[in-house]
Amino acid sequence: MKIYNTLTRRKEDFLPLEEGKVRMYVCGPTVYDFIHIGNARPLVVFDTLHRFLRWQGYDVQYVVNFTDIDDKIINRANVEGVPFTDITAKYIAAFEKNAASLNLLESETIHPRATEMIEPIITFVQGLIDKGAAYDAADAVYFDVSKAKDYGKLSGKKIDDLQAGARIRVNEAKRNPLDFALWKKQKEASEPAWPSPWGAGRPGWHIECSTMSKSLLGETIDIHAGGSDLEFPHHENEIAQTETLTDHPFARYWMHNEMITVSAADGSHEKMSKSKGNFFMLKDIEASYDLILVRLWLLSAHYRSPINFSREVMEATKNGYERLMNGKHNLERLLAHNASGDMSQEEKKLVAFTEEQQTAFTDALADDLNTADALTAIYEIVRLANATLNEDSAKEAVQAVYEHLTSLLDVLGIADHSNRDNLDEKIEALIAEREAARKAKDFAKADAIRDELAAQGIQLKDTRTGVTWSRE
């Protein structure tokens, strides 16, 4: 497998620290608001990498943190007049709902919270002070950037240029404008705080992720990932403080997804951001679209390319999803009715083609997680299966294609949210009865059953390979 490593700016062969095992950390949400589609992209992209690595046989330790103490959380709690824990509980619950709708592999994901790591954070900060790389100032304990080796190596930014462009606020306690807070001291009694050797306070943002990663995965991990907006300063500062403390590389591979754009009034594409007010919450999108469509849309482009969001692209994604699910449902229908028998030459060619597409799918994901090309392979399987298989096909052929298709869909996390499994036995019986009437050329009865099903919100579509259905 090859991964584009932001640290080296090139694709590299992926070689984990320990054979057969992968330690991976992804920066998760700051839980002060609902998730928007910009937050969703790294969650979906790296969940897919997680799934692929597991499919390839790796034992994966996968960590996605919750930042549950932060200025934004405190400000939201003050505005609403509630404890900060009420805010974090509300938005973690909302995250969990979105995660289920996006089909994230939550059962195999570790979700540490910063507030659960206060003691390890204090130990981490004290270690930096002991090494002369941090200092206790009036308002905070700061990391001394001048003590970091190769500061800027991830983002490519030069420390002299950063210093020249930085501004120091009046009465700033920092020695250097680039120094960043490791521990923020309590400003007033109502502010959330924990005891520490430097007085009551709370951790800074960067130290939280470094500590959670170190505590759960070790001093050096295989993959650290997140959105490209985190490359600087967050990930740069994580590297600085962690490698200064441990004298070891923090992460061997750094992966960053590109941002989402939206269509502007003039027809151009502009970066989505809260500051511009052009962002879309998943809870709002879900009013019109199942979030599994958001997942499919996000995987339709390479993760290192910008991707544009609009209603038009969601409608196109919906059509693609229906094509995939109809293909899957058609195979399920054939499996339920087709008899065993020898495969024809055409069916053998289809099975061989499906195996070739699975290889293409695997090769695409192994090439820096090219989900767009992986999806193309799945669509190709559905296309040829629809054209080849029918009620007279050998069950062995149908079974082989179905197993390949469902396996590949599962690797990408494209779940079947079409509610087909909720059809009750009576409706299934009516569909079967209508099929029998059509074969007997009793078209009046077949039309009457179609009308009866339509009255129940079940729309049927007759195709060359059989009937497909959807709910209104």
Side-chain angles (χ1 to χ4, degrees):
M1 180 175 184
K2 289 186 179 294
I3 288 175
Y4 182 85
N5 190 349
T6 309
L7 187 65
T8 60
R9 295 296 194 272
R10 66 174 183 267
K11 283 186 187 179
E12 299 177 355
D13 290 328
F14 176 63
L15 300 171
L17 285 161
E18 187 176 351
E19 186 175 356
K21 294 187 177 182
V22 177
R23 300 176 181 89
M24 184 173 175
Y25 186 95
V26 177
C27 288
T30 299
V31 286
Y32 74 100
D33 206 344
F34 295 105
I35 298 295
H36 58 69
I37 53 172
N39 304 133
R41 191 173 197 187
L43 294 171
V44 167
V45 164
F46 300 118
D47 175 81
T48 303
L49 177 59
H50 177 200
R51 286 170 174 271
F52 179 62
L53 290 169
R54 290 171 60 86
W55 192 55
Q56 293 295 95
Y58 288 102
D59 175 13
V60 185
Q61 285 181 278
Y62 184 69
V63 176
V64 180
N65 75 290
F66 289 133
T67 296
D68 64 341
I69 185 65
D70 178 88
D71 289 344
K72 293 174 181 177
I73 294 170
I74 294 170
N75 292 339
R76 177 63 62 89
N78 289 339
V79 168
E80 297 189 14
V82 298
F84 83 95
T85 50
D86 286 6
I87 298 297
T88 57
K90 173 182 178 180
Y91 292 112
I92 287 174
F95 171 92
E96 290 169 346
K97 179 178 180 294
N98 288 156
S101 297
L102 289 167
N103 198 31
L104 302 183
L105 194 58
E106 289 293 276
S107 62
E108 303 297 334
T109 302
I110 303 166
H111 282 302
R113 304 184 187 194
T115 57
E116 299 170 341
M117 295 279 179
I118 298 300
E119 287 305 316
I121 288 171
I122 289 172
T123 300
F124 198 123
V125 174
Q126 186 61 58
L128 289 170
I129 291 174
D130 293 344
K131 295 192 79 165
Y135 56 93
D136 185 2
D139 60 345
V141 176
Y142 288 100
F143 179 79
D144 186 346
V145 170
S146 70
K147 304 297 184 182
K149 295 179 181 178
D150 302 321
Y151 187 79
K153 65 181 179 181
L154 178 70
S155 61
K157 298 181 183 296
K158 298 184 182 300
I159 195 167
D160 290 342
D161 294 339
L162 291 169
Q163 286 176 327
R167 296 179 179 178
I168 303 177
R169 298 192 305 270
V170 177
N171 298 323
E172 178 60 75
K174 293 191 289 186
R175 296 173 182 171
N176 184 306
L178 299 182
D179 294 350
F180 54 88
L182 302 169
W183 186 263
K184 297 182 177 182
K185 297 184 180 180
Q186 188 180 38
K187 297 176 183 177
E188 50 189 55
S190 62
E191 191 174 86
W194 290 262
S196 81
W198 320 286
R202 56 189 170 83
W205 177 31
H206 312 305
I207 197 69
E208 293 175 350
C209 284
S210 286
T211 303
M212 286 186 270
S213 178
K214 179 176 178 292
S215 298
L216 295 170
L217 301 176
E219 291 186 348
T220 301
I221 66 174
D222 294 297
I223 300 171
H224 196 312
S228 60
D229 57 325
L230 298 181
E231 190 176 325
F232 184 88
H234 184 51
H235 289 166
E236 195 74 72
N237 289 347
E238 280 190 73
I239 291 173
Q241 65 200 5
T242 303
E243 296 188 356
T244 299
L245 179 72
T246 68
D247 293 316
H248 296 299
F250 180 19
R252 298 185 61 176
Y253 303 88
W254 288 84
M255 299 179 71
H256 293 91
N257 64 272
E258 254 303 338
M259 296 292 98
I260 291 174
T261 61
V262 294
S263 299
D266 61 1
S268 64
H269 296 168
E270 60 183 13
K271 180 181 173 182
M272 189 188 74
S273 68
K274 283 193 172 182
S275 62
K276 293 182 178 180
N278 62 355
F279 64 98
F280 297 86
M281 297 291 190
L282 292 187
K283 70 179 182 66
D284 298 326
I285 295 172
E286 199 167 19
S288 302
Y289 300 101
D290 190 310
L291 293 190
I292 204 67
L293 299 181
V294 171
R295 183 180 186 111
L296 179 59
W297 164 66
L298 288 169
L299 297 180
S300 68
H302 193 275
Y303 76 95
R304 287 192 291 110
S305 299
I307 185 170
N308 192 62
F309 178 80
S310 69
R311 178 169 289 276
E312 289 74 20
V313 298
M314 289 305 296
E315 287 296 328
T317 301
K318 183 179 179 182
N319 292 336
Y321 179 75
E322 290 175 352
R323 190 160 22 122
L324 293 176
M325 292 305 110
N326 285 338
K328 174 176 174 286
H329 297 157
N330 187 49
L331 292 170
E332 290 168 345
R333 180 183 62 81
L334 295 178
L335 279 176
H337 299 290
N338 286 34
S340 298
D342 294 335
M343 287 193 288
S344 67
Q345 288 301 313
E346 188 178 21
E347 288 163 359
K348 288 179 181 179
K349 288 180 181 179
L350 170 63
V351 173
F353 176 81
T354 301
E355 291 170 350
E356 290 170 2
Q357 291 307 305
Q358 177 161 313
T359 299
F361 172 95
T362 304
D363 290 346
L365 293 184
D367 183 13
D368 193 32
L369 202 67
N370 189 337
T371 54
D373 283 359
L375 272 171
T376 297
I378 296 179
Y379 282 114
E380 282 296 294
I381 291 173
V382 169
R383 179 189 63 78
L384 195 57
N386 285 342
T388 304
L389 300 175
N390 55 49
E391 288 86 348
D392 298 321
S393 297
K395 180 166 286 190
E396 182 183 359
V398 180
Q399 184 72 44
V401 175
Y402 181 73
E403 288 178 357
H404 283 299
L405 175 63
T406 53
S407 176
L408 303 190
L409 287 171
D410 185 61
V411 173
L412 295 186
I414 307 301
D416 187 350
H417 286 185
S418 58
N419 293 322
R420 183 176 175 81
D421 292 337
N422 293 332
L423 266 181
D424 60 33
E425 293 180 2
K426 181 179 177 182
I427 294 177
E428 288 280 13
L430 283 171
I431 292 175
E433 185 180 349
R434 177 178 176 273
E435 285 293 282
R438 291 176 68 231
K439 287 183 178 180
K441 300 188 184 302
D442 187 350
F443 299 116
K445 183 177 180 180
D447 289 344
I449 293 173
R450 175 192 283 274
D451 293 341
E452 183 180 350
L453 289 170
Q456 298 180 53
I458 305 298
Q459 295 297 315
L460 303 183
K461 182 178 181 181
D462 297 319
T463 70
R464 191 181 69 80
T465 59
V467 65
T468 62
W469 64 270
S470 61
R471 289 186 182 274
E472 285 185 332

